[in-house]
Amino acid sequence: MPFTLAPLPYSHDALEPHIDTLTMQIHHGKHHQAYVDNLNKAIAGTDHENKTIEDLVKHAGSISVAVRNNGGGHWNHTFFWESLSPNAGGTPSGHLADAINAAFGSFDAFKEKFNQAGLTRFGSGWAWLLVKDGKLEISSTPNQDNPLMDVAEVKGTPILGVDVWEHAYYLKYQNRRADYLSSFWNVVNWNKIAERFTAAK
Ligand code: MN3
């Protein structure tokens, strides 16, 4: 099988109390695993087997719905796990902090706008911070779409994303998506986001 599920870059309980152990176990071990398995099934025996996940995702408009949804699911979750870290949170620094202030006025204003994008995404989807034409923007996508996709409303290179599917927060936060989103900032790995920002520019 061409695609495999990488282990989490930290233990399942590492993001407690902000993201609970059981959610991490099910989210990574069941949901992400299912995207990988269903992606492999959907591409079996096709020339997609030789493509990278980025290649599949970028051409979302011309691949099957199963490959788009499960390929997006695989890419998005890998990106999400790597965006988080224990003993993280706080504020970004350096060029990324400057760019956030330039684009949104302040770090607090940025967080507010990003949280709004996650809160107002009806149903399941993601909110993103992305680089577009060298500048930072916020967007949201439905289902397992992302800003790399040729079908995205706002296209660019994502540097931070948050999963707002209920499976990402329901066990701990139930219907309180806003509480999940405010806790999320405690586990954002700004070193990783800054690294992506530099690469995207
Ligand atoms: Mn998810």
mmCIF file of all heavy atoms in Angstrom, residues 27 77 163 167, ligand 1:
data_model
loop_
_atom_site.group_PDB
_atom_site.id
_atom_site.type_symbol
_atom_site.label_atom_id
_atom_site.label_comp_id
_atom_site.label_asym_id
_atom_site.label_seq_id
_atom_site.Cartn_x
_atom_site.Cartn_y
_atom_site.Cartn_z
ATOM 1 N N HIS A 27 -8.858 9.936 17.207
ATOM 2 C CA HIS A 27 -8.674 10.826 16.062
ATOM 3 C C HIS A 27 -7.524 10.336 15.172
ATOM 4 O O HIS A 27 -7.658 10.245 13.950
ATOM 5 C CB HIS A 27 -8.400 12.254 16.570
ATOM 6 C CG HIS A 27 -8.648 13.323 15.564
ATOM 7 N ND1 HIS A 27 -8.523 14.650 15.863
ATOM 8 C CD2 HIS A 27 -9.003 13.287 14.258
ATOM 9 C CE1 HIS A 27 -8.793 15.376 14.788
ATOM 10 N NE2 HIS A 27 -9.083 14.565 13.793
ATOM 11 N N HIS A 77 -4.553 15.834 8.232
ATOM 12 C CA HIS A 77 -4.269 15.337 9.583
ATOM 13 C C HIS A 77 -2.772 15.244 9.851
ATOM 14 O O HIS A 77 -2.324 15.582 10.950
ATOM 15 C CB HIS A 77 -5.006 14.019 9.839
ATOM 16 C CG HIS A 77 -6.470 14.234 10.066
ATOM 17 N ND1 HIS A 77 -7.348 14.403 9.021
ATOM 18 C CD2 HIS A 77 -7.199 14.391 11.209
ATOM 19 C CE1 HIS A 77 -8.568 14.629 9.517
ATOM 20 N NE2 HIS A 77 -8.498 14.627 10.839
ATOM 21 N N ASP A 163 -8.661 21.555 12.832
ATOM 22 C CA ASP A 163 -9.734 20.633 12.495
ATOM 23 C C ASP A 163 -10.953 21.013 13.316
ATOM 24 O O ASP A 163 -10.905 20.972 14.550
ATOM 25 C CB ASP A 163 -9.246 19.218 12.852
ATOM 26 C CG ASP A 163 -10.185 18.119 12.386
ATOM 27 O OD1 ASP A 163 -11.338 18.422 12.037
ATOM 28 O OD2 ASP A 163 -9.738 16.949 12.380
ATOM 29 N N HIS A 167 -15.493 15.285 15.563
ATOM 30 C CA HIS A 167 -14.649 14.204 16.101
ATOM 31 C C HIS A 167 -13.356 14.761 16.723
ATOM 32 O O HIS A 167 -12.702 14.066 17.481
ATOM 33 C CB HIS A 167 -14.358 13.128 15.044
ATOM 34 C CG HIS A 167 -13.448 13.541 13.912
ATOM 35 N ND1 HIS A 167 -13.709 13.238 12.588
ATOM 36 C CD2 HIS A 167 -12.260 14.200 13.897
ATOM 37 C CE1 HIS A 167 -12.735 13.706 11.830
ATOM 38 N NE2 HIS A 167 -11.839 14.290 12.594
HETATM 39 MN MN MN3 B 1 -10.109 15.076 12.007
#
